[in-house]
């Protein structure tokens, strides 16, 4: 069931459409990430949900209630918890007062406030820091205080805008899992903004990829990774190789087609979408470095086996990373670490048709 | 005058911004002090010290170095001298801010390209400071158009504001002179506003600083060689002494009687202070009451105005900002005169004391709004948004979050507002009536009557002491007396 519905949301700043007629649904209790490059409109979308920004068109519906079209519901009345990118922990208040702020505004009895704050601080490992000012906390601790403050009032919705981007790499990794398990446990519907695809993969139930104000694809991390809808998504999520070409022949009954590639050889490819499968169509084939199989000897009569020359070879511990050329097309390949071939030597790449994704 | 201030201010700013020197903070504080001292106080002090029968002349005569008193101070050169000293801090502050903010890599790049020390300074450092310099220079340049009292003290009346003052002061006897006065007020106002707008345009078109964001670092700090260090000290101390002369001399005159014809006073007394306290406690009370009331209005009006300008998108906020900025350029004398004319007859306001704080308030409001505005800009919006997300409305957010966080910046603004209102004379002099005299007006009247210089000096000294105490409070809170002076410069601009 959709808990948050974003309907035809449109917001422009000057002449730039920051959010360009976006439709999106967030299910009850799920964690959805808005993922995309800098400036694609993630923050603006999130701020519209929060009510910190008023859209030019469209509506946001939370738990069946319209936030804009039937009179503007101010942020303070939306029962939303929000974690800001720079934490926005109030420097003049102690940790306790920061977290208790929203509860005090609800005029809860002192005892209840104390209990709730203590519980929340405990679940975030902040017990004992109640009396400190934010200036006396590390970045990671401030981040947890911001999270505690957002969660303490049991909000209907939790919004997080790149909450981990100011932390160091190690802490960031740890916090991803912590946030995920905490939010899961509380069952709060969450929208999480990030431009880090690894973070999005770890944290979300579903990912919504944005580009220049539009949502390009929505799906589980696996769907997004394995079946990217556009070249942009394939490129943005993880690392991939693109081979351009033209459709030569469609083998409908086998669910496959032949592409005449830029390096002049025929290549077999799975048909993802019948609409695309007509001859002479120009296409991109995406294949990930780890999906490419390597042979040191040629095999007669086998499809999709191409001779390639190693240009660069980098040792990354548990595997090798190769830059190889098929003709003059550069392909990145992940190879087993015990591969003997050196730079300048030849090998054979098998591009499994099942793993090749055909994109417009 | 701008030239003089620049010539003296440039090396000073460079020293302050770039050299690592012991005791720099203290010397800097002294050098920047005139910013909060009224110009007329400095003028009095220098007349006593450098005048024809002043301390310096008498000393030199006694030592036999000269046979006739030298005219150090009366005349145009004296005027330029004292005004330059008074305005030096503006130049120094704006320039040293510029020096500090320059991205060190820009200069280092020039160094790598082979530009030597002085050449680098001329071709890279100075041009990069132009916007900062202009900001300070406008204030300095416009000053003579607004300050009528100092020229008068030095016997120079060929300045627009002074002419206006004299003409208007005698308007009771001669209607014709009144109109002449008004015309000259209008002329100087127009000049001020036009200059101000032009320079504002210019500064805005020349902002390079946005390229690399304002560095929080100290900028490029140099360990000066022994030679440079020595001369820097000499230079700074010299100017600091000149500044210190002001309170010293005023203090001497304040505690003495009939100080004349001797280098230092011979007869010490507290009579002057007794007189002030016995005969005219009203002056003090008026000063405090008027400034206080003006301040309350300033807060009540200034904070919301700053809020509107910074945080909302309501229509007309640009206009509000513009009008308030424009008031900065408006000479005090013009405010006084227009109030006088507007409220003189028919409207009973001019006959109520409330007009005094009202005029102070109007005159100083822009500085306060500017300061509040500046503090607001530094306050991260997300702190306020976080409060709204926690369920607090706008008003609640302002009370709980914005106001406490703004308080420090605003407090400096408040004290500066008070100091400025406290020493205000150019507006008040036109509006006061018997019984509404403030301390500065008292100083002026006592000086004007000629005989009571001791009392005038005592009042001025007293005022400086009050200002000093306020400054101390500010520096406690605002961090360093430089911070205090900064506050005022931010406010004035
Ligand atoms: N207050 C504003 N005024 C003007 N333009 C804005 C404003 N806020 C955002 N924009 C513009 O809208 C577009 C989308 O901005 P937004 O902040 O939503 O991007 P984002 O996806 O969050 O990027 P990032 O990952 O860098 O945070 C950008 O082009 C940005 O310049
Ligand atoms: Mg953003």
């Amino acid at each position: 069931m959709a808990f948050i519905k974003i309907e035809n949301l449109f917001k422009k700043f000057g002449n730039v459409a920051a959010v360009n007629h976006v439709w999106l649904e967030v299910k009850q209790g799920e964690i959805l990430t808005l993922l995309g490059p800098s400036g694609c409109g993630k923050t603006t979308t999130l701020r519209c949900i929060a009510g910190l920004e008023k859209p030019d068109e469209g509506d946001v519906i939370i738990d069946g209630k319209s936030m804009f079209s039937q009179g503007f519901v101010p942020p303070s009345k939306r029962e939303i918890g929000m974690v800001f990118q720079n934490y926005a922990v109030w420097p003049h208040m102690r940790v306790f007062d920061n977290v208790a702020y929203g509860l005090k505004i609800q005029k809860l009895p002192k005892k209840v406030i104390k209990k709730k704050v203590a519980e929340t601080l405990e679940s975030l490992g902040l017990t004992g820091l109640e009396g400190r000012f934010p200036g006396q906390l590390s970045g990671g601790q401030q981040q947890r205080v911001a999270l505690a403050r957002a969660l303490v009032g049991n909000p209907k919705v939790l919004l997080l805008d790149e909450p981990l981007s100011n932390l160091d790499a190690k802490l960031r990794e740890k916090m991803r899992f912590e946030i995920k398990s905490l939010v899961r446990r509380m069952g709060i519907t969450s929208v999480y903004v990030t431009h880090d695809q690894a973070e999005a993969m770890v944290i979300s139930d579903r990912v919504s990829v944005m580009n220049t104000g539009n949502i390009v694809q929505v799906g589980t991390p696996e769907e997004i990774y394995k079946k990217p809808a556009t070249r942009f998504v394939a490129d943005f999520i993880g690392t991939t190789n693109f081979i351009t070409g033209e459709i030569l022949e469609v083998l409908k009954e086998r669910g496959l087609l032949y592409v005449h590639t830029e390096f002049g050889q025929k290549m077999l490819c799975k048909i993802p979408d019948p609409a695309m499968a007509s001859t002479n169509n120009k296409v991109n084939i995406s294949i990930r470095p780890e999906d490419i199989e390597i042979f040191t000897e040629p095999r007669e009569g086998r499809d999709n086996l191409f001779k390639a020359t190693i240009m660069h070879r980098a040792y990354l511990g548990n595997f090798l990373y190769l830059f190889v050329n098929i003709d003059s097309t550069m392909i990145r390949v992940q190879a087993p670490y015990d591969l003997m071939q050196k730079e300048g030597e030849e090998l054979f790449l098998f591009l499994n048709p099942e793993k090749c994704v055909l994109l417009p | 005058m701008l030239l003089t201030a620049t010539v003296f201010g440039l090396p000073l700013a460079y020293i302050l911004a770039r050299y690592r020197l012991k005791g720099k903070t203290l010397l800097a504080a002294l050098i920047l002090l005139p910013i909060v001292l009224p110009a007329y106080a400095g003028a009095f002090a220098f007349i006593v010290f450098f005048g024809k029968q002043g301390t310096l002349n008498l000393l030199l005569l006694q030592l036999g170095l000269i046979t006739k008193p030298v005219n150090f101070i009366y005349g145009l050169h004296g005027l330029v001298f004292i005004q330059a000293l008074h305005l030096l801090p503006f130049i120094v502050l704006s320039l040293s801010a510029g020096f500090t903010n320059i991205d060190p890599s820009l200069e280092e790049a020039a160094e790598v390209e082979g530009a030597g020390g002085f050449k680098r300074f001329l071709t890279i450092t100075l041009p990069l400071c132009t916007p900062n310099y202009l900001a300070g220079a406008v204030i300095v340049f416009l000053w003579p158009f607004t300050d009528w009292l100092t020229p008068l003290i030095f016997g120079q009346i060929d300045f627009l504001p002074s002419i206006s003052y004299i003409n208007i002061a005698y308007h009771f006897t001669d209607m014709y002179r009144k109109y002449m006065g008004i015309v000259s007020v209008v002329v100087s106002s127009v000049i001020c506003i036009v200059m101000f707008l032009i320079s504002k345009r210019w500064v805005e078109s020349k902002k390079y600083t946005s390229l690399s964001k304002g560095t929080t670092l100290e900028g490029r700090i140099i360990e000066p060689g022994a030679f440079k260090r020595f001369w820097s000290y000499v230079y700074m101390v010299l100017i600091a002494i000149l500044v210190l002369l002001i309170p010293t001399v005023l203090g001497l005159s304040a505690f003495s009687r009939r100080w004349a014809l001797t280098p230092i006073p011979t007869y010490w007394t507290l009579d002057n202070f007794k007189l002030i306290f016995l005969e005219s406690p009203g002056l003090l009370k008026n000063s405090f009451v008027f400034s206080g009331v003006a301040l309350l209005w300033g807060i009540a009006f200034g904070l919301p105005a700053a809020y509107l300008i910074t945080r909302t998108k309501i229509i007309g906020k640009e206009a509000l900002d513009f009008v308030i900025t424009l008031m900065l350029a408006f000479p005090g004398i013009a405010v006084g005169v227009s109030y006088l004319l507007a409220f003189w007859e028919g409207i009973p306001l001019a006959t109520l004391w409330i007009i005094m704080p009202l005029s102070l308030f109007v005159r100083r409001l822009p500085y306060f709004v500017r300061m509040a505005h500046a503090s607001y800009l530094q306050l991260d919006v997300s702190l306020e948004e976080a409060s709204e997300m926690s369920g607090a409305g706008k008003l609640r957010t302002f009370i709980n979050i914005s106001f406490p966080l703004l308080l420090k910046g605003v407090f400096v603004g408040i004290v500066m507002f008070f100091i400025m209102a406290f020493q205000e004379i150019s507006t008040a002099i036109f509006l006061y009536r018997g019984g509404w005299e403030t301390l500065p007006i008292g100083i002026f009247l006592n000086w004007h009557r000629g005989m009571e210089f001791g009392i005038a000096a005592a009042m001025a000294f007293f005022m400086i002491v009050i200002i000093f105490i306020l400054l101390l409070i500010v520096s406690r809170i605002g961090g360093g007396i430089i911070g205090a002076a900064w506050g005022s410069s931010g406010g004035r601009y």
Side-chain angles (χ1 to χ4, degrees):
Chain A
M1 193 200 91
F3 195 70
I4 306 173
K5 274 192 209 160
I6 295 174
E7 295 181 343
N8 195 28
L9 195 72
F10 180 76
K11 172 81 189 175
K12 65 173 196 279
F13 294 107
N15 288 325
V16 190
V19 180
N20 196 4
H21 302 290
V22 159
W23 296 78
L24 184 67
E25 295 193 349
V26 189
K27 294 177 202 148
Q28 173 119 43
E30 83 169 335
I31 306 176
L32 179 119
T33 43
L34 296 176
L35 175 65
S38 187
C40 69
K42 308 178 295 284
T43 298
T44 310
T45 308
L46 197 73
R47 288 169 62 85
C48 285
I49 302 176
L52 296 170
E53 211 80 69
K54 285 183 194 172
D56 297 316
E57 285 172 43
D59 201 357
V60 173
I61 291 154
I62 299 174
D63 198 11
K65 254 178 63 187
S66 158
M67 292 291 126
F68 294 106
S69 63
Q70 285 147 35
F72 173 67
V73 181
S76 51
K77 298 272 177 292
R78 291 191 180 189
E79 294 173 65
I80 289 177
M82 183 158 172
V83 180
F84 292 80
Q85 180 167 3
N86 57 356
Y87 315 147
V89 176
W90 301 305
H92 62 302
M93 292 184 188
R94 292 173 196 281
V95 169
F96 180 88
D97 298 306
N98 258 287
V99 178
Y101 185 76
L103 303 179
K104 283 181 188 162
I105 283 170
Q106 290 174 29
K107 299 224 165 65
L108 296 182
K110 273 225 169 73
K111 255 196 186 151
V112 181
I113 293 181
K114 261 207 170 133
K115 190 165 155 269
K116 282 197 166 193
V117 172
E119 277 170 14
T120 314
L121 288 180
E122 155 124 56
S123 68
L124 282 158
L126 289 169
T127 311
L129 300 179
E130 293 88 346
R132 296 227 198 145
F133 282 104
Q136 302 164 321
L137 299 177
S138 72
Q141 288 166 334
Q142 290 186 29
Q143 208 278 328
R144 284 159 200 260
V145 173
L147 199 54
R149 184 178 66 189
L151 290 174
V152 74
N154 253 322
K156 283 185 187 169
V157 172
L158 180 66
L159 306 177
L160 306 106
D161 191 357
E162 309 204 19
L164 304 182
S165 62
N166 285 335
L167 303 181
D168 67 67
K170 275 261 153 56
L171 192 56
R172 203 176 329 165
E173 264 208 305
K174 181 166 162 248
M175 285 303 290
R176 282 174 193 165
F177 289 102
E178 268 188 39
I179 291 183
K180 182 175 184 175
S181 63
L182 189 70
V183 172
R184 271 275 162 72
R185 198 153 15 103
M186 298 180 72
I188 302 177
T189 311
S190 306
V191 181
Y192 188 106
V193 163
T194 180
H195 62 256
D196 179 339
Q197 46 104 5
E199 194 166 301
M201 304 298 256
V202 170
I203 229 164
S204 23
D205 297 314
R206 286 192 309 148
V207 180
S208 146
V209 184
M210 287 186 78
N211 190 24
T212 57
N214 296 294
I215 289 184
V216 196
Q217 190 177 3
V218 185
T220 64
E222 199 179 341
E223 281 167 358
I224 299 268
Y225 191 80
K226 289 203 170 146
K227 295 182 197 134
T230 66
R231 190 181 158 131
F232 171 81
V233 177
D235 199 18
F236 192 74
I237 312 284
T239 322
T240 194
N241 297 294
F242 289 114
I243 298 164
T244 57
E246 211 171 89
I247 295 178
L248 205 61
E249 186 187 351
V250 181
L251 314 166
K252 269 235 175 68
E253 64 289 354
R254 283 174 66 194
L256 293 170
L257 50 70
Y258 274 113
V259 175
H260 182 75
T261 61
E262 56 189 305
F263 45 83
Q265 301 180 40
K266 277 205 312 189
M267 186 171 160
L268 205 56
C269 203
K270 201 178 63 176
I271 299 176
D273 174 7
M276 258 170 64
S278 56
T279 44
N280 295 333
N281 252 4
K282 292 217 182 319
V283 289
N284 291 294
I285 301 164
S286 159
I287 183 157
R288 307 246 178 223
E290 69 270 21
D291 289 338
I292 297 176
E293 288 168 53
I294 293 176
F295 295 95
T296 48
E297 303 290 325
R299 308 245 169 128
E300 280 310 315
R302 191 151 179 186
D303 277 317
N304 284 16
L305 195 68
F306 303 106
K307 190 164 85 179
T309 315
I310 303 177
M311 308 306 290
H312 304 286
R313 179 183 194 270
Y315 176 74
L316 293 183
N318 47 352
F319 62 88
L320 294 173
Y321 209 74
L322 306 177
F323 284 84
V324 303
N325 266 5
I326 306 177
D327 209 25
S328 62
T329 304
M330 174 80 83
I331 305 278
R332 282 167 287 201
V333 184
Q334 195 173 310
Y337 63 91
D338 53 0
L339 187 83
M340 299 301 289
Q341 271 72 4
K342 301 274 172 304
E343 282 173 12
E345 295 182 355
E346 285 180 350
L347 38 71
F348 295 87
L349 305 182
F350 175 58
L351 310 182
N352 188 343
E354 289 296 319
K355 302 270 172 79
C356 289
V357 181
L358 205 64
L359 299 168
Chain B
M1 225 210 40
L2 175 58
L3 203 70
T4 324
T6 307
V7 169
F8 282 101
L10 196 59
L12 209 51
Y14 195 76
I15 294 171
L16 285 182
R18 288 295 167 77
Y19 288 171
R20 193 190 306 278
L21 293 170
K22 269 190 194 151
K24 193 171 90 171
T25 328
L26 182 69
L27 282 172
L30 280 176
I31 290 166
L32 299 180
L33 197 60
I35 231 176
V36 289
L37 294 181
Y40 47 89
F44 287 139
F46 280 119
I47 286 179
V48 175
F49 192 79
F50 290 111
K52 280 220 177 76
Q53 262 107 52
T55 311
L56 189 60
N57 264 320
L58 290 172
L59 274 177
L60 290 176
L61 279 173
Q62 277 175 6
L63 291 174
L65 289 176
I66 50 170
T67 49
K68 244 178 30 192
V70 180
N71 182 9
F72 285 117
I73 199 86
Y74 277 102
L76 205 58
H77 56 288
L79 182 63
V80 169
F81 174 67
I82 177 73
Q83 289 199 336
L85 185 69
H86 184 68
L87 295 172
L88 196 58
F90 291 106
I91 296 284
V92 173
L93 280 177
S94 50
L95 271 178
S96 63
F99 286 146
T100 317
N101 276 339
I102 292 179
D103 188 340
S105 59
L106 292 175
E107 284 182 12
E108 282 156 13
E111 210 168 343
V112 173
E113 298 284 323
F118 193 65
K119 185 153 182 219
R120 188 170 70 235
F121 182 74
L122 279 187
T123 53
I124 307 290
T125 316
L126 268 192
L128 285 174
C129 285
T130 327
N132 291 79
Y133 171 68
L134 283 176
V138 185
I139 300 176
V140 175
F141 189 78
L142 289 180
W143 194 269
F145 288 99
T146 64
D147 183 11
W148 51 267
L149 184 54
T150 322
L152 218 57
I153 295 175
F154 283 99
Q156 295 286 313
I157 55 163
D158 288 343
F159 283 89
L160 264 181
S162 310
I163 292 180
S164 325
Y165 169 71
I166 294 175
N167 281 319
I168 291 176
Y170 293 104
H171 79 275
F172 296 107
T173 49
D174 190 343
M175 279 308 276
Y176 175 68
R177 296 191 73 161
K178 175 172 158 184
Y179 289 113
M180 248 186 76
I182 292 171
V183 168
S184 51
V185 167
V186 170
V187 170
S188 52
S189 307
V190 169
I191 293 178
C192 282
I193 288 174
V194 169
M195 287 291 306
F196 186 80
L197 289 181
I198 291 175
S199 72
K200 197 164 174 262
R201 263 283 150 73
W202 205 22
V203 171
E204 272 159 16
S205 72
K206 281 213 158 200
K207 270 200 176 131
Y208 318 106
T209 30
S210 51
L211 279 179
S212 49
K213 279 195 172 167
T215 31
T216 44
L217 299 169
E218 271 218 313
R220 201 175 143 110
I221 297 271
I222 304 170
E223 195 73 54
F227 179 75
K228 279 185 183 162
R229 176 191 301 263
F230 175 73
W231 284 110
S232 311
Y233 271 122
V234 169
Y235 190 63
M236 290 205 295
V237 168
L238 209 69
I239 294 188
I241 287 176
L242 280 179
V243 173
L244 273 182
L245 262 182
I246 300 171
T248 316
V249 171
L250 285 178
L252 287 179
S253 342
F255 288 106
S256 64
R257 180 187 260 174
R258 277 184 242 105
W259 175 17
L261 303 176
T262 51
I264 55 164
T266 46
Y267 184 83
W268 301 96
T269 171
L270 281 175
D271 283 359
N272 292 322
F273 287 100
K274 267 193 207 140
L275 264 176
I276 301 179
F277 287 117
L278 281 181
E279 291 183 9
S280 41
L283 296 192
L284 266 181
K285 198 194 86 196
N286 283 344
S287 273
F288 275 109
V289 169
F290 294 164
S291 309
V293 172
L295 181 61
L296 286 182
W297 288 340
I299 298 171
F301 187 82
L303 274 183
Y307 172 78
L308 289 181
I309 292 172
T310 334
R311 286 285 191 257
T312 61
K313 294 194 191 114
I314 61 162
I315 326 153
K317 78 163 197 181
E318 269 96 11
L320 183 66
D321 190 26
F322 184 73
V323 167
I324 288 178
T325 314
L326 208 60
M327 273 157 71
L328 279 174
F330 223 49
I333 193 167
V335 175
V337 170
S338 40
Y339 265 62
L340 191 66
L341 293 178
F343 294 130
W344 196 237
E345 260 138 55
I347 306 166
L349 204 57
T351 57
L352 295 173
W353 63 271
I354 210 81
I355 193 168
M356 296 291 287
L358 189 64
S359 68
L360 294 182
F361 156 72
V362 166
R363 179 122 164 77
R364 292 302 171 197
L365 179 68
Y367 305 129
F368 185 72
V369 174
R370 284 262 133 166
M371 280 213 66
H373 179 57
S375 328
Y376 242 122
L377 286 181
Q378 283 170 6
L379 178 68
D380 195 334
V381 199
S382 58
L383 289 173
E384 294 169 331
E385 288 173 350
S387 162
E388 283 184 55
M389 297 310 302
S390 295
K394 295 242 186 248
L395 186 66
R396 199 63 157 274
T397 298
F398 181 80
I399 295 170
N400 289 336
I401 307 292
S402 321
F403 189 68
L405 291 174
L406 286 174
L407 202 59
K408 202 163 126 182
V410 169
F411 185 78
V412 175
I414 287 175
V415 176
M416 283 300 157
F417 184 103
F418 192 79
I419 289 177
M420 293 298 169
F422 201 74
Q423 64 184 42
E424 172 70 55
I425 183 160
S426 50
T427 308
I429 195 88
F430 293 98
L431 299 171
Y432 85 95
R433 295 184 157 197
W436 301 350
E437 293 92 345
T438 60
L439 208 51
I441 295 179
I443 296 171
F444 178 70
L445 290 180
N446 276 304
W447 169 78
H448 204 59
R449 277 183 238 138
M451 308 307 285
E452 331 274 355
F453 188 76
I455 298 182
M459 286 177 171
F461 182 70
F462 195 62
M463 193 158 81
I464 291 180
V465 170
I466 293 175
I467 290 174
F468 223 89
I469 293 170
L470 290 175
L471 269 188
L472 274 181
I473 298 174
V474 176
S475 62
R476 260 284 159 76
I477 293 165
I481 203 156
I482 294 210
W486 256 118
S488 101
S489 96
R492 284 218 191 190
Y493 174 52

